[in-house]
Amino acid sequence: MISGTGITKTYRQRGNVLGGRDVRALRGVDFSIPKGGAVSFIGESGCGKTTLGRIIAGLETYESGEIVIDGTPMSSLRPKRREAEFRKIQLIHQDPYSALNPTRTIHQTLEAPLALRARRTGRPSSWVDDRAEELLSLVGIDPGYVLGRYPHQLSGGMRQRVVIARALTVDPEMLVADESVSMIDVSMRLSVLALLKDLRERLGVSVLFITHDIATARYIGDEGELYVLYRGQVVERGLTESVISGPVHPYTQSLLSAIPVLHGLERPGRERVVPTEALDERHADSGCLFARRCPFRTERCTAELPELMRVEEPPIGGLAPLPEAPGAAPHEHACFHPVRRSVIPEEAA
Amino acid sequence: MTMNAPRLLRRSRPAGTVSGGAVPGGAPRPDAGPPPGVRVRDLTVVYKTPLGELPALGGVSLTIDPGTITGIVGESGSGKSTLALSLLNAVQPPGRIAGGSVEVDGLGDVLKLKGDELRGARGRHLGYVFQAAQNSLNPLKTVGKQLLDLGRSHGVDDLAALVRDARALLERMGLDGARVLDSHQHELSGGMRQRVGIMLALVLNARLAILDEPTTALDMITQATILRIVREVHKERGLTTLMVTHDIGVAAEVTDRLAVMYGGRVVEHGPTMDVLGAPSHPYTQGLIRAIPRLSGDPAEARALPGRPPTLGTLPTQGCVFRERCPLRMEVCETSAPLPVRREERTVACHAREPYASAAGRGEHA
């Protein structure tokens, strides 16, 4: 179980001709990723989802807040011990083309971390090769075919599987997949998502899935949770199916409305909202961060900052809430005027 | 030459400010005729590789009706970008157009044009929006200066009018025209640069617009806005538009007609609604089933087995899709299926000869 409370991060920019400014990448984010669970962070570029993913993987510092891995607060540990804890969390890069060293064969790529591990745990060196083959089979590629090859000889989908295999060399508890299918051809995208789902089920690895394509978040398995980030703040969260079928925050509704409709196969959602494009976010806001882009804003929105609150019962907007799994996080939102809207495409008759 | 650039750009500013939002930026000039139709016949493009010349396009024939928005969808290596470049006769070495013709109304066979004729046709007749509009702008020059370069290289006499047109177009797309013309590319967001790309493609009054992956690397909401703009500008300026994309969703959102490419061939072509609602070619069916979607049972979605062919792995005879095809037959090994047209739909598949138009409906309804 990996959780965080009140994580904040500000990127300080030095002044240039355009004037310096600080970018508040994260404004106090809470999250919790259960063991073997699947959590997705979604939002536009610049919403802080990648920064948060990197912080969780131990690759980025944060100013305040606390990350707790298996009950141990990370701030209480010495750097060496902290590093070991963060090794349980492995990041899978977006670009499988640049994530692998082009001058190393796949065998060499996998051998390095495995040999280190063998030395540390006193395993014989024969274990290294066996384990490399085992891991490649686990991610669904033929070890005989790839081991001797270089990255440029493999397709994007295969490279991404090699990257996943490399992450698995340290027996991680969690994989952080940052846009890891966006550069893979559509016909094979699902197979990588299916692999992540499969690793969850077979190894109990939890998956943190970071994407701007909400539809793919549905494919990493059941009882997944979705966090919608906007300008460094979680504006909505809940079970993936609950958020997708009945989004409450206008920003989530905009994101879902922007997904293209497969005309002929689908009809546009009944309450689809017209999304407003990102604005210049340089000047400071009072009140709700989304207010200036929000089609439903009122005076209160520009004066006060809404905090995360539970979706009220009885259901708002006439839609019945999905039954919540016991122990699962409730559907929450940060909006003064919550209305569940049905914005996603419906199956055409 | 560039001495008067700032003056030209500045002079045009008050005019636009006065007319405000009433600039008829979407309307084509009065001399514009009907939108052009395009007929591609037996187009073959080969790339020179250490293994010899390999076909990126293997005899593509495609008719694009005037005034339509046609989507060309395919995965990497399907030949969709090569097809788009061929329409401009702009295939670069090691590629070479080995045969066929591209007839554009009002221009003739584009593949026969050379030198100044060809340069004139690009921009004045054929507008191309590059795949990475993010990276296709000159980082050292403002957008306005690049616009003037474009005007001069095409012998535009009235550069002030060109700037006015450009501003009107940018404002039509929801931007501050004066500010954008004054900006360098690093001062513009991805969505703004994409709109600058569209402006530069259309400002010389091109009537055939070719967009290569216009929304790749854009956020969902920006993508939706760009797609809406493409649809509106297409209609207002009376264009024939071709949109090359790997994303079927993007094509579904804006196009009237869809051409699906695989291994350097068009395997299915027809009205978008029909192709998506009842795909006929097994590749189209598989591709649609592989799209991650927001509705429906996630367990029903399936990736296509295998992977798309590259130039080197493309079979030299028989059907290019047979390795991944669930309907593979003996004949597929030896002879390439010819496109067969039935009503509005053209399909190239042995298993669909003669094909049943409702074949895919049961699986996808």
Side-chain angles (χ1 to χ4, degrees), chain A residues 45 185 187 218 261 266 277, chain B residues 75-76 195 219 253 293 296:
Chain A
S45 49
D185 271 313
S187 72
R218 291 180 72 211
V261 178
E266 298 171 336
E277 252 190 292
Chain B
E75 296 175 89
S76 53
R195 276 173 265 203
D219 273 317
E253 185 72 35
R293 287 169 58 192

Side-chain angles (χ1 to χ4, degrees), chain A residues 44-45 145 155 185-188 190-191 212 215 218-219 258-261 263-266 276-277 293 344-345 347, chain B residues 75-76 195 219-223 225 246 249 252-253 273 276-277 290 292-296 298 301 303-304 307 324:
Chain A
E44 293 167 292
S45 49
Y145 178 78
S155 71
D185 271 313
V186 185
S187 72
M188 295 178 302
L190 275 176
S191 63
H212 67 274
R218 291 180 72 211
Y219 292 84
I259 292 173
V261 178
H263 294 281
L265 212 58
E266 298 171 336
T276 327
E277 252 190 292
R293 282 173 75 178
I344 60 165
E347 300 274 314
Chain B
E75 296 175 89
S76 53
R195 276 173 265 203
D219 273 317
M220 279 292 171
I221 290 176
T222 314
Q223 166 173 296
T225 313
H246 70 278
E253 185 72 35
M273 295 274 279
L276 288 177
R293 287 169 58 192
L294 285 172
S295 55
L304 256 141
R307 54 192 164 122
R324 301 172 82 183

Side-chain angles (χ1 to χ4, degrees), chain A residues 144-181:
Chain A
Y145 178 78
V146 295
L147 272 173
R149 282 173 204 262
Y150 289 92
H152 74 268
Q153 294 169 303
L154 307 178
S155 71
M158 269 203 194
R159 277 184 240 201
Q160 195 60 285
R161 285 165 192 268
V162 171
V163 172
I164 294 172
R166 182 179 59 183
L168 293 175
T169 55
V170 295
D171 294 325
E173 278 182 23
M174 181 162 84
L175 295 176
V176 179
D178 189 356
E179 297 283 10
S180 48
V181 296

Side-chain angles (χ1 to χ4, degrees), chain A residues 56-134:
Chain A
I56 292 171
L59 300 171
E60 192 83 69
T61 58
Y62 48 100
E63 277 135 32
S64 57
E66 181 69 276
I67 289 192
V68 180
I69 300 179
D70 295 333
T72 316
M74 287 301 105
S75 63
S76 69
L77 298 179
R78 286 165 179 280
K80 264 254 151 65
R81 281 271 297 131
R82 195 186 308 147
E83 217 173 87
E85 286 295 318
F86 274 123
R87 204 168 294 129
K88 292 177 180 168
I89 302 162
Q90 288 293 314
L91 183 75
I92 296 161
H93 286 270
Q94 169 174 17
D95 182 358
Y97 294 84
S98 62
L100 294 170
N101 187 333
T103 66
R104 286 188 184 177
T105 62
I106 304 309
H107 180 259
Q108 288 169 319
T109 293
L110 295 179
E111 187 190 24
L114 285 173
L116 190 67
R117 201 170 163 76
R119 263 207 309 283
R120 278 195 184 145
T121 53
R123 287 184 173 98
S125 57
S126 63
W127 174 81
V128 171
D129 287 353
D130 292 349
R131 183 70 180 151
E133 288 187 17
E134 199 181 322

Side-chain angles (χ1 to χ4, degrees), chain B residues 17-18 35 59 92 108 128 135 174 178 241 261 268 286 290 294 302 311:
Chain B
T17 324
V18 172
Q92 296 293 314
Y128 197 94
N135 310 323
T241 303
M261 290 192 71
E268 183 159 5
L294 285 172
R302 290 263 178 289
L311 273 186

